[in-house]
Amino acid sequence: MKDYEMVIGLEVHCELQTATKIFCGCSTKFGGAPNTHVCEVCSGMPGTLPTLNKKVVEFAVKAGLALNCDITRKNKFDRKNYFYPDLPKAYQISQLYFPICRNGHVDVKTSEGMKSIGIHEIHMEEDAGKLVHDPVTGMTMVDFNRCGVPLLEIVSEPDFRSAEEVIAYLTKLRDTMQYLGVSDCKMQEGSMRADVNLSVRPVGQKEFGTRTEMKNIASFKAIERAIEYERDRQIDLIEEGGTVVQETRRWDDEKEYTYAMRSKENAQDYKYFPDPDLMPLEISEEYIENIRANLPEFADAKRERYVSQFGLPEYDAEIITGATTLVDVFETATEMTDQPKDVSNWIMTDLLKLCKDNHVAAEDMEFDGKKLGAIINLVNEGKVNRKTGRQVLEKCFTEDIDPAEYIEKNGLAQVSDTSAIEPVIKQVLDENPKPVSEFLAGSEKNFQFLVGQSMRALRGKADPQAVRTVLTKLLDEMR
Amino acid sequence: MEITQDLVRYLEALGRIELSPEEEVKTQKDLADILGYIDKLGELDTAGVEPLSHAAGRTNITREDVVINGDMQEQVLSNAPETKDGTILVPRTFD
């Protein structure tokens, strides 16, 4: 058998985190009752006119600059015509002729080193509505809430040669969008969707093979599996003397195979033309430069800085910069405590464990870094020990409480006032005459036993250092 | 471009509509007339004329990203021939 290589290109749709839809003032909020975020514009009533949401342009330029694109100065919108009930106007407003961003690239890390992936273009468009099959009536139920939600479609060059490169790119795209605050890119909620165009060719062949397209695969894992399956299917087909048909295939993640959706015979013919309802959009150099100057620090730069400036281990820096929620917690708590390594340790050991125990992905976590900062300060000031600190963090993770108040209310503060703990320790010594006499006779290990007994008598609230000091003093007096 | 009967039928398929044989004939003629008119315009010498992107001559008509619409479910559904649980019911679309 010949050696084959894959050629893959991606079309990624990201739903933008704007408050309103791209062409009307309806809310973009996810999960409302059907057709409650819909007006005459996004339901396509005759005679209504779309007006472009400023924020969509800003987000598109941000994304384009972050992905090293040229920004198109004179933009237009075009109509993509197709007749399907998820689209009430019978056309989608998109950008065919003058997409807002072109000729970009992103550098991704793979096991074989860095690789540059070309971005062919990014365009602005509107999302379609949602269709649900109704088994009772045998009809289709249409909900237009999502109709008109702004999307960026990011079209890559056919630069991928492996599933690993695809996943690395998608991860980088997601991180970039999240750092920009442009899209939350949650695949499971559909705010990031990927179409995979894949073909195979014998190694060394210049021409591309015939490609198939796999649409809307719902997770990184599924994408990886779908790519491997489709590669094997195409190679087997060619090896058996068959030919690959250009078609759209759907990936069944449960049964792990792809099947043809629409065949080429009824390939879509969208009859694009410029949308006369929307005026051209001109973007000034000044506007672009202003956005460029205010781009945030991205994951790669942050990771390097966390290692060089704060001395975090590579691995910790990688995990923390992998989710903007963790970055927020880390930076807020570090600002408050000036103890980046401490903060990182708390995140890596305690916070991530809490995420796991509560079945929350780190990126979905809703936790205020100020609370972690407060807890770390309380521990470092000796107000509570680390164990209590961990309990307080656990409480803060699921409930909205103030750490200091909670410690106060529940009497969790540790006792470091020696005059307060001395009587208790004295009593411990009285109750343990044997260990005491053995210690005084030279058995050093009994000291640790007495520390333990004292901590227990103080119900764990005492500062261990204070306990040692008092114990040493009292024992010295007995010599 | 020649408007053939096949082309008219192809457009019907794309538009998900069905024309009667008489309508097909009429449509074929109308489309040919329209394209003929455009062809006539094409005879004009436009060398050196910058393409116009929009007849209105305005640019950058945008709005702020502020929610101004409330729940209009009732009005939206009032145009639908059939509804169920807040959704619009249409003929089955899944394979």
Side-chain angles (χ1 to χ4, degrees):
Chain A
M1 191 172 117
K2 280 181 272 190
D3 272 343
Y4 286 88
E5 72 169 359
M6 274 191 287
V7 175
I8 301 172
L10 292 183
E11 288 162 26
V12 177
H13 289 88
C14 296
E15 260 181 25
L16 298 181
Q17 280 171 301
T18 51
T20 63
K21 294 185 177 181
I22 182 168
F23 298 120
C24 64
C26 286
S27 166
T28 54
K29 211 172 248 163
F30 180 75
N35 294 309
T36 51
H37 303 158
V38 180
C39 69
E40 67 281 7
V41 175
C42 58
S43 63
M45 294 298 150
T48 58
L49 284 175
T51 316
L52 179 62
N53 182 346
K54 257 184 194 172
K55 200 96 190 170
V56 173
V57 180
E58 183 193 322
F59 282 2
V61 172
K62 273 187 176 172
L65 291 175
L67 302 176
N68 307 297
C69 293
D70 300 331
I71 305 299
T72 303
R73 303 289 297 276
K74 291 191 175 193
N75 283 267
K76 282 198 304 183
F77 285 95
D78 305 296
R79 292 185 180 181
K80 177 181 180 176
N81 298 283
Y82 71 91
F83 290 79
Y84 207 63
D86 62 358
L87 200 67
K89 296 192 302 297
Y91 58 84
Q92 177 193 33
I93 304 178
S94 180
Q95 291 189 290
L96 178 73
Y97 301 108
F98 298 97
I100 188 160
C101 315
R102 281 177 281 196
N103 304 325
H105 66 90
V106 261
D107 298 325
V108 299
K109 202 162 48 177
T110 73
S111 53
E112 285 162 33
M114 296 302 285
K115 174 158 180 174
S116 182
I117 303 293
I119 304 282
H120 181 72
E121 64 167 69
I122 303 176
H123 56 258
M124 303 178 275
E125 61 183 29
E126 55 181 345
D127 209 345
K130 201 175 86 183
L131 303 179
V132 178
H133 177 64
D134 178 29
V136 179
T137 57
M139 294 174 80
T140 295
M141 299 164 86
V142 188
D143 173 9
F144 290 135
N145 280 351
R146 200 181 59 186
C147 197
V149 168
L151 295 176
L152 288 186
E153 179 172 338
I154 305 168
V155 183
S156 84
E157 298 291 352
D159 286 346
F160 305 96
R161 297 292 175 267
S162 69
E164 186 207 356
E165 291 172 7
V166 169
I167 302 303
Y169 166 81
L170 288 172
T171 308
K172 179 92 178 238
L173 267 194
R174 187 189 61 191
D175 286 354
T176 305
M177 295 295 139
Q178 289 175 346
Y179 272 74
L180 287 169
V182 156
S183 170
D184 60 13
C185 290
K186 289 184 182 164
M187 284 204 117
Q188 65 281 10
E189 282 179 20
S191 59
M192 184 187 199
R193 310 195 283 268
D195 301 342
V196 179
N197 290 294
L198 187 153
S199 64
V200 298
R201 64 181 172 191
V203 171
Q205 180 182 306
K206 271 226 156 95
E207 304 78 45
F208 292 145
T210 304
R211 67 185 159 85
T212 61
E213 181 179 19
M214 294 184 283
K215 277 199 178 291
N216 288 344
I217 316 174
S219 72
F220 284 7
K221 275 229 172 71
I223 288 173
E224 201 172 338
R225 285 197 292 264
I227 287 174
E228 277 156 14
Y229 174 88
E230 184 59 16
R231 173 199 57 203
D232 293 347
R233 189 190 71 87
Q234 292 189 11
I235 293 174
D236 287 350
L237 203 59
I238 294 168
E239 284 291 311
E240 286 162 12
T243 47
V244 176
V245 180
Q246 184 174 341
E247 62 190 358
T248 304
R249 300 180 70 84
R250 191 173 271 162
W251 169 248
D252 185 324
D253 201 38
E254 256 164 47
K255 296 179 190 144
E256 303 207 345
Y257 77 116
T258 65
Y259 58 94
M261 238 164 84
R262 301 182 203 125
S263 67
K264 203 192 166 192
E265 293 84 73
N266 51 56
Q268 301 282 354
D269 181 353
Y270 296 120
K271 307 283 185 207
Y272 280 95
F273 65 88
D275 191 320
D277 286 348
L278 287 151
M279 300 300 132
L281 173 75
E282 288 182 12
I283 300 176
S284 70
E285 194 64 40
E286 195 191 347
Y287 180 89
I288 296 168
E289 289 315 313
N290 187 32
I291 288 180
R292 196 195 302 278
N294 289 297
L295 287 178
E297 182 184 34
F298 291 105
D300 289 345
K302 250 192 216 305
R303 189 173 56 237
E304 277 169 35
R305 185 167 63 82
Y306 285 0
V307 173
S308 62
Q309 185 186 339
F310 297 138
L312 298 197
E314 284 280 350
Y315 179 74
D316 297 14
E318 172 107 35
I319 297 289
I320 293 172
T321 55
T324 47
T325 48
L326 294 178
V327 167
D328 284 345
V329 170
F330 176 77
E331 297 196 345
T332 307
T334 298
E335 175 95 49
M336 284 170 73
T337 60
D338 205 21
Q339 299 290 332
K341 279 187 157 173
D342 256 7
V343 175
S344 161
N345 283 335
W346 277 85
I347 291 175
M348 297 300 292
T349 50
D350 300 300
L351 199 57
L352 289 177
K353 181 173 181 301
L354 283 170
C355 287
K356 207 174 151 204
D357 293 348
N358 288 282
H359 307 288
V360 187
E363 62 185 81
D364 298 331
M365 175 186 72
E366 282 173 31
F367 176 77
D368 185 353
K370 282 190 192 129
K371 290 179 180 168
L372 180 61
I375 291 169
I376 293 173
N377 278 337
L378 289 164
V379 171
N380 290 352
E381 287 160 12
K383 296 255 168 58
V384 289
N385 57 32
R386 202 180 193 293
K387 196 172 149 216
T388 310
R390 190 174 295 142
Q391 286 165 6
V392 177
L393 180 67
E394 214 175 299
K395 208 74 188 161
C396 287
F397 192 79
T398 47
E399 290 167 46
D400 186 24
I401 51 168
D402 177 73
E405 244 171 56
Y406 179 76
I407 288 163
E408 180 79 25
K409 218 187 273 170
N410 293 280
L412 295 173
Q414 68 183 355
V415 187
S416 49
D417 175 2
T418 49
S419 64
I421 59 178
E422 203 172 306
V424 182
I425 295 179
K426 232 178 206 152
Q427 200 184 335
V428 169
L429 295 182
D430 288 346
E431 286 165 4
N432 291 282
K434 198 162 165 257
V436 170
S437 58
E438 280 173 13
F439 172 78
L440 292 174
S443 175
E444 289 286 333
K445 71 174 199 295
N446 282 11
F447 185 75
Q448 202 46 50
F449 171 77
L450 292 168
V451 171
Q453 291 299 307
S454 303
M455 288 301 286
R456 202 157 124 194
L458 289 155
R459 281 174 300 154
K461 286 192 301 189
D463 174 3
Q465 197 46 50
V467 169
R468 283 166 190 279
T469 312
V470 172
L471 249 184
T472 310
K473 191 189 109 198
L474 291 177
L475 288 167
D476 278 349
E477 285 168 8
M478 293 168 83
R479 282 185 206 272
Chain B
M1 184 182 185
E2 196 197 344
I3 306 291
T4 61
Q5 194 183 21
D6 281 350
L7 180 62
V8 172
R9 292 202 171 135
Y10 175 60
L11 293 174
E12 284 176 47
L14 284 179
R16 304 283 188 272
I17 53 171
E18 205 174 352
L19 300 179
S20 66
E22 298 78 43
E23 285 170 326
E24 280 180 357
V25 172
K26 187 174 182 302
T27 302
Q28 191 176 344
K29 185 183 173 295
D30 285 349
L31 290 177
D33 285 351
I34 292 167
L35 285 190
Y37 176 65
I38 302 293
D39 284 345
K40 189 78 194 160
L41 289 179
E43 288 169 17
L44 285 171
D45 179 12
T46 54
V49 179
E50 205 186 318
L52 189 68
S53 51
H54 199 280
R58 303 179 67 189
T59 55
N60 298 15
I61 309 297
T62 58
R63 58 176 183 83
E64 298 296 329
D65 184 29
V66 177
V67 178
I68 51 165
N69 295 333
D71 178 0
M72 289 186 249
Q73 192 199 49
E74 211 186 309
Q75 289 100 306
V76 169
L77 295 184
S78 68
N79 286 301
E82 246 184 298
T83 65
K84 184 182 175 181
D85 303 336
T87 67
I88 297 166
L89 276 185
V90 299
R92 179 178 177 154
T93 54
F94 295 87
D95 334 301

